[in-house]
Amino acid sequence: MTVDLEALYIDLHSHPELSFQETRTAGIAAAHLRELGLEVHEGVGVTGVIGVLRNGEGATVWLRADMDALPVTEQTGLGYASTATGVDPDGNTVGVMHACGHDMHVTAMIGAVERLIAERAQWGGTVVVVIQPAEEYGAGARAMLDDGVLDRFPRPDVVLGQHVTPLPAGTIGVRPGPQMSASDGIQVVLHGRGGHGSRPHSTIDPIVMAAATIMRLQTVVSREVDPRELAVVTVGSIHAGTKNNIIPADATLQLSLRYPDEQQRAKVMSRVERVIRAEAMASGAEREPDISTLHTLPATINDVDATGRVVAAFRAAFGEQAVVDPGLFTGSEDVSWFARDAGAPLVFWFWGGVDPQAYADAVANDSIDRDIPTNHSPYFAPVIHPTIEVGVTAMATAARAFLG
Ligand code: ZN
Ligand code: ZN
């Protein structure tokens, strides 16, 4: 009996779960893999699932899909839209939505495994299916590695992964070398001296310090990074104060930093830190700011040789026109940890989920940024067909490029 992938997708989409809480999703994925005859291990790295498919001599290929959803309240208006809520790590009840398409990743993975099993007489090797939790925290791959996946299961000769994205459905985007940025989330606590709003001279105002710091940080990319190179410095969160006439004692900023490689990372990091410390000094702060790391994600670098093999296989399967170089994405992923820790090549690609006509209209109207919802938008809604089919074929085709 074949798996009804559309029903699976709709079920996963309408039952999204937050990072490290993906017990229902994991259970469904595990049940399908077990039914397909794989050796299945659950609870790997909290909620992760590993499925092993042994098929004689050959390479060991890891196929990775992430499965967590986001604290976003869905606004797509689809019949199968999520109405789910969840509790985030701070204890807040939040709307939950598969706004990054990880439901599509799990669905395509189950279809790809089914395809590989149907074709098993034509290839040899071992497939390890990795259903990963908490990609959105940048923590799930690390959790599975800390749980010993490289020692407990056959080690990879290559790691493959894919992400649904706002390209036209039917299009695959992949490039050798840097594919996605490295990223760091950092938190900065600026220490001032609190007091009465009527007596600013008796205080060290952390709000003014924060404002100056934020504005000066805008010059890191515009004035200190080579215009031909990529870097992003975003201050995404600022918290200080409780009342109009109280100058608070400190201010907290959270930053998102992105760069294509380690070299650029070191440069941007040191400049950001210099600006933060110098602005505190300029404000007369009596205590150094506290700078801490919220998360660190490596750059997603596609192995040149392995990517060449996958691209050739994709061109044969989908046609020359369907496979494009999408450029370097400023988003980040934790899939690389698997390949880096294993010392194995990585190939990570994007596949389109947008209705091709809607995409063509948006191109004609020069309105892609406005009209095509991106991942993490409450309106993000891949078309079911042919997105599922392309995802299945892409994953199975890439795997076969190494399995024969
Ligand atoms: Zn995401
Ligand atoms: Zn994602």
Side-chain angles (χ1 to χ4, degrees):
M1 218 190 76
T2 57
V3 181
D4 183 342
L5 295 177
E6 179 177 320
L8 172 61
Y9 173 72
I10 287 173
D11 180 45
L12 295 178
H13 188 85
S14 45
H15 297 92
E17 296 170 301
L18 292 172
S19 304
F20 284 133
Q21 302 178 27
E22 314 91 335
T23 49
R24 180 182 187 275
T25 311
I28 289 170
H32 279 296
L33 294 175
R34 207 169 274 128
E35 221 161 274
L36 289 166
L38 275 68
E39 167 197 320
V40 175
H41 303 261
E42 293 180 73
V44 183
V46 190
T47 50
V49 178
I50 295 281
V52 182
L53 170 60
R54 295 175 209 274
N55 191 30
E57 290 293 299
T60 297
V61 178
W62 279 30
L63 309 181
R64 177 271 205 177
D66 44 9
M67 62 172 164
D68 54 327
L70 285 160
V72 171
T73 300
E74 181 157 356
Q75 289 172 40
T76 60
L78 291 166
Y80 54 89
S82 162
T83 55
T85 58
V87 177
D88 73 11
D90 298 327
N92 305 310
T93 298
V94 291
V96 184
M97 175 190 177
H98 267 298
C100 205
H102 299 183
D103 45 354
M104 191 58 87
H105 303 174
V106 174
T107 304
M109 181 66 79
I110 300 301
V113 172
E114 195 177 28
R115 176 88 54 89
L116 287 169
I117 287 171
E119 297 173 352
R120 70 187 304 163
Q122 299 160 40
W123 59 270
T126 301
V127 171
V128 176
V129 176
V130 180
I131 309 279
Q132 183 207 301
E135 188 281 327
E136 297 292 356
Y137 284 1
R142 184 50 63 202
M144 293 187 87
L145 287 159
D146 288 346
D147 204 357
V149 280
L150 288 175
D151 302 321
R152 293 165 59 191
F153 309 107
R155 289 176 79 95
D157 294 310
V158 64
V159 176
L160 305 176
Q162 62 179 357
H163 206 302
V164 67
T165 201
L167 286 169
T171 299
I172 299 211
V174 60
R175 72 200 307 257
Q179 174 72 89
M180 297 181 84
S181 308
S183 134
D184 289 281
I186 64 172
Q187 177 163 293
V188 179
V189 181
L190 300 168
H191 301 290
R193 187 169 67 230
H196 201 288
S198 68
R199 296 178 48 79
H201 57 286
S202 68
T203 73
I204 297 168
D205 189 339
I207 291 184
V208 174
M209 197 190 308
T213 303
I214 291 166
M215 292 314 293
R216 184 84 198 189
L217 283 171
Q218 306 311 308
T219 66
V220 170
V221 173
S222 69
R223 302 293 87 185
E224 298 198 51
V225 171
D226 185 325
R228 293 165 298 183
E229 293 173 4
L230 181 147
V232 178
V233 175
T234 290
V235 181
S237 167
I238 166 170
H239 284 97
T242 52
K243 195 171 181 298
N244 69 315
N245 62 356
I246 302 171
I247 293 171
D250 46 41
T252 302
L253 310 179
Q254 292 189 344
L255 279 66
S256 179
L257 312 175
R258 316 269 171 164
Y259 4 71
D261 54 40
E262 283 302 313
Q263 229 182 338
Q264 186 78 300
R265 175 175 190 269
K267 264 197 245 174
V268 171
M269 270 290 204
S270 72
R271 285 153 174 76
V272 162
E273 195 173 329
R274 190 198 71 223
V275 165
I276 291 165
R277 296 200 185 283
E279 285 296 341
M281 190 190 282
S283 299
E286 292 160 335
R287 233 177 104 192
E288 283 274 308
D290 290 315
I291 303 175
S292 56
T293 300
L294 299 169
H295 67 77
T296 296
L297 291 172
T300 305
I301 314 268
N302 278 335
D303 179 82
V304 173
D305 292 342
T307 304
R309 262 163 103 155
V310 169
V311 167
F314 282 167
R315 290 212 164 113
F318 298 107
E320 294 279 330
Q321 303 297 320
V323 186
V324 302
D325 179 345
L328 175 67
F329 279 47
T330 50
S332 307
E333 255 284 345
D334 69 352
V335 64
S336 301
W337 291 128
F338 292 119
R340 285 176 187 236
D341 279 27
L346 170 77
V347 186
F348 191 79
W349 63 90
F350 297 92
W351 93 103
V354 182
D355 172 47
Q357 189 56 51
Y359 195 91
D361 291 348
V363 170
N365 297 330
D366 192 20
S367 64
I368 287 185
D369 289 338
R370 192 188 66 212
D371 291 343
I372 305 294
T374 61
N375 304 66
H376 293 205
S377 156
Y379 299 97
F380 183 72
V383 291
I384 294 182
H385 306 289
T387 310
I388 290 178
E389 291 76 11
V390 173
V392 168
T393 302
M395 187 54 88
T397 300
R400 286 291 303 274
F402 301 93
L403 294 165

